[in-house]
Amino acid sequence: MSRERARRRAEREAEQAKQAALRAVREARLARRRELAGRVTALLPRRPVRIAAQRGIKARRRRAQNGLVAVLFLIAQVIAWLLWSSWAARFGVFVLSILLVPVFITLVFDRRS
């Protein structure tokens, strides 16, 4: 009976030693990666502090309006690409769209306040 317990204990200890060795290898690899990342980031310039996006109802409304303008611009471009195969016509629609976006914004959205 004691030989069997000694054998099982030896097996458990061997398994624990194997797991400890694997854990040590993993930790050493992680330490090397952290050290390498630290050296690389030390060479890079510091990033400026990120400025948070404006909050509030006006900012939310403006973001929604800008999204709508962008979607309408893209729809106009897709329609132009589908209707005309001429590159000149497509380019003309693109330039006209670029010129008319500020006019559209001015006429449709009240952004005085």
Side-chain angles (χ1 to χ4, degrees):
M1 186 72 155
S2 66
R3 285 184 194 167
E4 182 66 23
R5 277 191 290 182
R7 183 185 60 77
R8 280 188 272 166
R9 185 183 318 121
E11 288 175 357
R12 269 195 317 268
E13 290 173 355
E15 183 64 29
Q16 289 172 352
K18 186 190 301 182
Q19 293 298 327
L22 288 174
R23 193 170 30 256
V25 167
R26 255 185 274 137
E27 289 174 3
R29 185 179 332 129
L30 187 60
R32 282 194 308 270
R33 282 186 184 170
R34 284 185 186 144
E35 191 267 332
L36 177 63
R39 280 192 280 157
V40 169
T41 55
L43 295 175
L44 297 175
R46 300 282 301 180
R47 289 190 331 186
V49 176
R50 181 174 176 263
I51 299 172
Q54 290 184 354
R55 297 181 183 174
I57 193 161
K58 287 184 181 179
R60 201 171 337 163
R61 185 180 301 144
R62 177 161 293 200
R63 282 192 295 270
Q65 291 171 353
N66 289 342
L68 175 67
V69 169
V71 167
L72 291 176
F73 179 81
L74 289 174
I75 289 172
Q77 297 308 306
V78 168
I79 290 173
W81 273 77
L82 293 176
L83 290 180
W84 294 295
S85 60
S86 166
W87 282 98
R90 292 174 179 172
F91 183 71
V93 169
F94 177 74
V95 170
L96 190 65
S97 298
I98 293 286
L99 293 174
L100 288 180
V101 163
V103 175
F104 176 77
I105 291 172
T106 303
L107 293 177
V108 175
F109 302 126
D110 183 22
R111 291 189 172 178
R112 285 178 284 183
S113 56

